Amino acid sequence: MSNRTPAWGGLCPSPHLPPLQNGAKPLAWHKPGQFAWSRVLAWTCHEHRNTWYELCAAGGLAYIRRFKGDQLKPEVAQTHAWREAEARAVWLALLSGRAQ
């Protein structure tokens, strides 16, 4: 993960995804709506990227939410939900360029 320097001069506090690795696992993305509410556990940078992600938990499960495009009105999609340990493994794969 690389971090870029924001306008205020410090390092970006949120991770930036690296380039995809060969053989990266494609994730299935669906329209959001399975959960009425969710808690955000982790996120990637939204200031320096057109696509950013959140690891979310709800109802004893966890999933990844993807935002694309305009920060004020992004296109939103999410993965299906897994047990939290499985979702964290997929999250780490996304952060390392092994999932997309």
Side-chain angles (χ1 to χ4, degrees):
M1 292 176 287
S2 65
N3 287 331
R4 295 197 180 171
T5 304
W8 51 269
L11 285 178
C12 184
S14 299
H16 291 203
L17 298 185
L20 288 177
Q21 294 184 9
N22 288 336
K25 174 185 170 185
L27 299 174
W29 297 100
H30 311 282
K31 292 177 77 171
Q34 181 178 356
F35 301 102
W37 65 269
S38 60
R39 180 171 42 104
V40 177
L41 303 173
W43 53 88
T44 65
C45 179
H46 68 278
E47 292 185 30
H48 304 114
R49 300 290 191 254
N50 289 331
T51 302
W52 65 99
Y53 302 87
E54 294 178 340
L55 174 62
C56 302
L61 299 172
Y63 61 95
I64 298 171
R65 192 174 347 187
R66 178 184 71 190
F67 300 87
K68 283 179 129 180
D70 184 351
Q71 289 186 17
L72 298 178
K73 191 173 180 182
E75 175 187 318
V76 182
Q78 69 185 46
T79 62
H80 69 275
W82 302 277
R83 292 184 317 225
E84 189 172 330
E86 291 174 275
R88 285 189 182 275
V90 175
W91 178 253
L92 290 175
L94 182 72
L95 291 178
S96 65
R98 295 180 288 119
Q100 62 179 349

